[in-house]
Amino acid sequence: VGMTVVETRQAFLKQPSMLQYSLETLRSKLDFLRSELCMSQGVACRVLHAAPAIFGISLAENLRPKVATLMIRCRFPVEEVGLIAAAVPSILVLSSKRKIEPCLSYLSVALKLPDEISLGSIIKAAPRTLIQSINSSLEPKLQMLDEALERERTQGREASSSRTGDLRVSDMFVKNPALLATTNAILAKRIEASMKSPDSTLAEAMGPSPKGRRPKFTIDNDKVVAIAEGGEGKANKGRIRGDREFMSESMAAAMSSLMSSGPSYSDLVSMSPAGTGLTPLAITAFISGQVFPPDTPEKPRGLDRMGGMAIQIAQKLSARQLKAAAESSTSAVIPETDEPGSNYESGLILLKYPHLRASRHRCELCACEIALKIILLFLRESASSYDLSKFDVRIEICTDSNYVMKMVKDKDLMRRLGDCSGLIENFDYQGPGPKSHANLDILFPLSQYYVDITTGRPRPITVAAIANGKGNNENSDDVCIGGSVGISFKHISDVCSGKVAEQTTYQMFKYARQAAMWSYDRDRKLRLGSLS
């Protein structure tokens, strides 16, 4: 249907029943998206990759009636339905009677909308509203704003208006529909910040913000296309090149900053050795690992402690390819939709620590391993479309961990580990410190990816091998990820200096700490749920 190998693999992992479908069934769903919902080939493939359950849904009894419901209730032309389905593919998997129709009816009544066109405007502006729960998401949001408005009145801060409280609340959502799709926690923070600010009313604070999600799709010549595909405006041209020609242009573009004021690209790129005739290609990953909560003498946490990791790719890579590589490499990626969550547009990947015995040393070493795995899968996928033999690939892994720098300093140890077919108990460890402190269960796969990448022609990686954190032993000459490939591990202070190094270290610490807190909260909720 036009998906990449990595995307197809992910779709089968998400929806194993796809293996039972005939080719005719698979093609019929693609044809439906392209011909009836007016999606371009690229957009249709993205939708099927994001929601492969669509393959198993009946066209006559489910998909077409669902589209008809949205067209009638929201006065949408079919292209508009295609547009919101492209933005939120899971809408096509929702039940019409149990989810979509109740949600539309609730919004019409709760927001006092005069007609279907007004309802359609809400859904078009914030299509994620349709996947929100009425009881746990939409109703609490209206209640929070209603209570905040009442507090504002009692404080005498309300702007003069003859409108009722309910109508004022509904007006806020009509003016800024994105409030319906945000999380309850974020809305509560915005309300609290508004109540503390003497300069604006609640209605003003709840107005549209220049921040937030940018539209990724548009309608061009009666066709739903990705904005990059439509080529609208100069601002999008760089993204087109980043997705389609990243090897020649995007990788050579200057990176203005990593964080608020991060290291410049010129400070990070390792230039090609003189006389090689290869084009330099740098990929720099900043990594960090943290645990939460920290152990204290008064309250040791032991096994209750959870770990989190952060990987920040410095260069501008294709967000779609980076996401595919990250999600194929591990199931520990924190989704974009969570708070905090990964942000592939900016190159940020947040992860939960997937092993036992969480410690900062183990989390930081594991972050190095996963960073190399993601970069390897990214280059392998790119090698299917580009001739990477013309490039001198320089990979830098930057950390502030002295422990990691000590463990990866011995390249001979990493090569011996990387050449092993499996981690055996009697491995002749001759590295820094005692063997018990080496964390060989993590250093072993890290060394394998180090060897795989530096050879330039890595062994094939199967789905099972990815799940086990290792490749197989068969060498392959059909994948070339670089004419020359090198990996260097550096301390952040070696690539940044002064305040930039301090800011970068702190930002990476904060990202990893947020990931660890997310992991801890999620684990606690799961345990409480299992007990109740």
Side-chain angles (χ1 to χ4, degrees):
V1 298
M3 291 190 289
T4 65
V5 174
V6 172
E7 290 170 340
T8 303
R9 181 192 302 128
Q10 291 175 337
F12 279 121
L13 291 174
K14 290 180 183 177
Q15 192 74 14
S17 59
M18 286 173 56
L19 295 170
Q20 302 175 356
Y21 304 150
S22 66
L23 289 177
E24 183 179 353
T25 299
L26 299 179
R27 290 194 185 102
S28 66
K29 302 310 186 320
L30 177 65
D31 292 340
F32 168 76
L33 297 178
R34 294 184 60 191
S35 60
E36 299 187 39
L37 291 189
C38 306
M39 295 183 185
S40 68
Q41 174 79 12
V43 172
C45 289
R46 292 187 188 188
V47 170
L48 292 174
H49 169 248
I54 294 172
F55 284 117
I57 297 177
S58 169
L59 286 174
E61 299 179 4
N62 193 310
L63 288 174
R64 289 192 179 106
K66 194 176 300 177
V67 171
T69 296
L70 290 170
M71 293 176 67
I72 294 170
R73 294 292 304 271
C74 299
R75 289 292 186 267
F76 280 153
V78 68
E79 296 89 350
E80 296 285 1
V81 178
L83 187 64
I84 67 170
V88 189
S90 57
I91 288 176
L92 295 177
V93 184
L94 299 176
S95 168
S96 289
K97 293 184 178 180
R98 295 194 301 270
K99 187 69 175 179
I100 294 179
E101 291 184 11
C103 182
L104 295 176
S105 299
Y106 174 79
L107 292 174
S108 296
V109 174
L111 301 184
K112 300 179 174 61
L113 301 176
D115 50 37
E116 290 86 355
I117 295 178
S118 300
L119 177 60
S121 298
I122 296 286
I123 300 302
K124 182 180 178 181
R128 292 180 178 274
T129 302
L130 288 174
I131 65 177
Q132 305 296 316
S133 166
I134 293 176
N135 295 329
S136 62
S137 180
L138 298 179
E139 280 185 351
K141 289 184 178 74
L142 268 74
Q143 184 177 358
M144 278 192 288
L145 276 180
D146 192 36
E147 293 173 353
L149 188 60
E150 189 63 31
R151 286 169 55 194
E152 189 177 58
R153 286 200 188 98
T154 59
Q155 295 174 4
R157 297 176 57 236
E158 180 195 15
S160 60
S161 174
S162 60
R163 293 177 290 182
T164 64
D166 288 340
L167 187 58
R168 283 287 303 278
V169 169
S170 65
D171 281 349
M172 294 181 199
F173 286 109
V174 171
K175 183 178 179 182
N176 185 13
L179 294 174
L180 293 165
T182 191
T183 65
N184 293 357
I186 291 177
L187 181 61
K189 289 181 180 178
R190 289 189 63 176
I191 291 174
E192 197 60 34
S194 166
M195 302 306 293
K196 294 178 180 179
S197 173
D199 301 326
S200 63
T201 64
L202 181 65
E204 293 169 341
M206 293 300 109
S209 168
K211 301 179 180 179
R213 298 179 184 272
R214 296 181 179 179
K216 296 181 179 180
F217 305 95
T218 187
I219 297 176
D220 186 13
N221 294 326
D222 298 326
K223 205 76 172 175
V224 179
V225 298
I227 288 181
E229 292 180 30
E232 295 183 357
K234 295 181 179 179
N236 290 320
K237 292 183 179 178
R239 183 168 296 178
I240 296 173
R241 293 193 292 266
D243 285 341
R244 300 180 183 176
E245 300 173 4
F246 77 94
M247 289 302 165
S248 59
E249 296 186 75
S250 178
M251 286 299 192
M255 187 187 78
S256 60
S257 64
L258 174 61
M259 286 80 177
S260 57
S261 59
S264 66
Y265 183 88
S266 59
D267 292 333
L268 301 175
V269 170
S270 298
M271 297 305 296
S272 175
T276 63
L278 300 176
T279 303
L281 174 64
I283 300 181
T284 305
F286 291 82
I287 66 99
S288 182
Q290 297 294 327
V291 293
F292 183 84
D295 286 347
T296 64
E298 297 77 22
K299 197 172 185 179
R301 294 288 178 176
L303 293 177
D304 288 337
R305 185 168 57 181
M306 303 298 291
M309 300 171 290
I311 301 171
Q312 174 73 62
I313 305 297
Q315 289 76 21
K316 173 64 177 177
L317 304 183
S318 164
R320 181 180 66 84
Q321 286 182 284
L322 183 61
K323 179 179 180 180
E327 293 182 348
S328 293
S329 66
T330 176
S331 60
V333 176
I334 299 178
E336 294 174 280
T337 53
D338 284 16
E339 183 64 28
S342 302
N343 186 338
Y344 298 103
E345 289 290 342
S346 64
L348 176 64
I349 305 169
L350 299 184
L351 311 103
K352 60 182 179 181
Y353 174 69
H355 304 298
L356 298 175
R357 299 186 291 122
S359 69
R360 183 178 178 185
H361 286 173
R362 289 177 61 81
C363 289
E364 288 168 331
L365 198 62
C366 185
C368 284
E369 174 212 338
I370 295 178
L372 284 183
K373 189 188 305 185
I374 291 172
I375 292 172
L376 173 57
L377 290 178
F378 183 90
L379 291 173
R380 285 177 58 88
E381 175 65 16
S382 303
S384 63
S385 303
Y386 302 94
D387 181 9
L388 300 189
S389 63
K390 301 177 181 178
F391 292 89
D392 173 41
V393 181
R394 301 287 98 187
I395 299 171
E396 291 183 337
I397 306 297
C398 304
T399 175
D400 70 329
S401 170
N402 293 328
Y403 169 77
V404 169
M405 294 302 298
K406 180 178 66 175
M407 296 308 300
V408 300
K409 184 178 181 180
D410 189 346
K411 299 300 187 293
D412 179 68
L413 170 65
M414 295 185 69
R415 292 189 185 97
R416 289 194 299 116
L417 267 175
D419 288 334
C420 289
S421 59
L423 182 58
I424 53 179
E425 293 295 329
N426 59 350
F427 175 79
D428 184 20
Y429 175 77
Q430 296 178 0
K435 183 177 179 179
S436 59
H437 293 175
N439 294 305
L440 289 181
D441 59 326
I442 300 176
L443 187 61
F444 170 59
L446 169 60
S447 300
Q448 281 206 314
Y449 292 119
Y450 173 82
V451 171
D452 286 350
I453 292 176
T454 52
T455 60
R457 295 181 182 273
R459 65 193 109 193
I461 297 182
T462 63
V463 174
I466 290 173
N468 294 329
K470 61 183 76 173
N472 59 38
N473 295 324
E474 299 174 7
N475 292 323
S476 172
D477 291 330
D478 61 346
V479 177
C480 176
I481 63 170
S484 173
V485 185
I487 300 176
S488 59
F489 296 88
K490 297 185 177 181
H491 199 280
I492 289 179
S493 59
D494 293 332
V495 294
C496 309
S497 60
K499 291 185 177 180
V500 174
E502 295 176 1
Q503 292 170 354
T504 303
T505 300
Y506 174 74
Q507 186 64 66
M508 293 307 300
F509 161 82
K510 187 168 70 172
Y511 283 149
R513 186 65 178 269
Q514 289 173 344
M517 294 173 68
W518 180 93
S519 302
Y520 180 81
D521 289 340
R522 184 173 182 273
D523 180 73
R524 183 177 58 179
K525 290 177 182 178
L526 289 174
R527 285 189 284 113
L528 290 176
S530 64
L531 293 174
S532 59

